[in-house]
């Protein structure tokens, strides 16, 4: 298994994008209060997935930690209503060098982080 998800390991940028999107969907689904069999890009966080302000903060902290966003990047972000908005924003910040693509071990270890956020609410 490669050490990095992104181009640095020799995988294509399309694979990097697909993996980042898949990971964000998993994260959103795990933290979401409403159960959904499959989180889709068009899902609206507040209406369809049951997010409230507390869950949005938990999701923000998880994204900041996993993708190592630069300080204040998320606070200065536009309103993100859908899962696709989160995916696109994260990929844009990665492309601008303001966030990092996690390593495979960080993705694997994120399960405990996700569980921690999901249990606290």
């Amino acid at each position: 298994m490669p050490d990095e998800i992104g181009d640095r390991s020799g995988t294509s940028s399309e694979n990097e994008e697909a993996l980042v999107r898949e990971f964000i969907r998993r994260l959103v689904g795990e933290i979401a209060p409403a159960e959904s069999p499959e989180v889709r890009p068009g899902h609206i966080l507040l209406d369809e997935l049951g997010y409230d302000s507390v869950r949005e903060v938990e999701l923000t902290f998880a994204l900041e930690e996993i993708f190592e966003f630069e300080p204040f990047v998320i606070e200065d972000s536009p309103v993100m209503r859908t899962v696709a908005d989160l995916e696109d924003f994260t990929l844009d910040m990665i492309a601008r060098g303001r966030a990092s693509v996690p390593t495979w071990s960080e993705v694997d270890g994120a399960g405990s982080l996700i569980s921690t956020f999901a249990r606290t609410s």
Side-chain angles (χ1 to χ4, degrees):
M1 182 176 294
D3 188 40
E4 297 285 330
I5 292 175
D7 287 331
R8 293 176 290 246
S9 69
T11 60
S12 70
S13 61
E14 293 86 18
N15 286 341
E16 178 181 289
E17 179 179 334
L19 288 168
V20 167
R21 289 183 187 279
E22 180 181 323
F23 184 67
I24 289 173
R25 289 176 199 159
R26 184 176 122 202
L27 180 67
V28 167
E30 290 292 326
I31 295 176
E35 289 189 37
S36 178
E38 179 182 336
V39 174
R40 294 183 317 276
H43 273 142
I44 299 170
L45 296 170
L46 294 174
D47 297 335
E48 296 175 309
L49 297 175
Y51 272 81
D52 58 17
S53 60
V54 172
R55 291 290 172 113
E56 285 181 332
V57 169
E58 291 172 350
L59 179 60
T60 298
F61 285 144
L63 289 168
E64 285 178 340
E65 186 164 328
I66 293 164
F67 291 97
E68 298 178 345
F69 281 98
E70 285 183 358
F72 305 109
V73 165
I74 291 182
E75 288 83 356
D76 295 337
S77 68
V79 174
M80 292 179 264
R81 295 187 60 229
T82 67
V83 175
D85 293 340
L86 286 173
E87 295 169 359
D88 294 342
F89 174 77
T90 302
L91 288 164
D92 184 48
M93 291 300 103
I94 290 168
R96 293 177 185 217
R98 299 190 72 194
S100 301
V101 177
T103 64
W104 280 104
S105 61
E106 290 167 334
V107 170
D108 290 341
S112 62
L113 175 69
I114 292 168
S115 296
T116 300
F117 285 116
R119 280 195 309 261
T120 59
S121 298

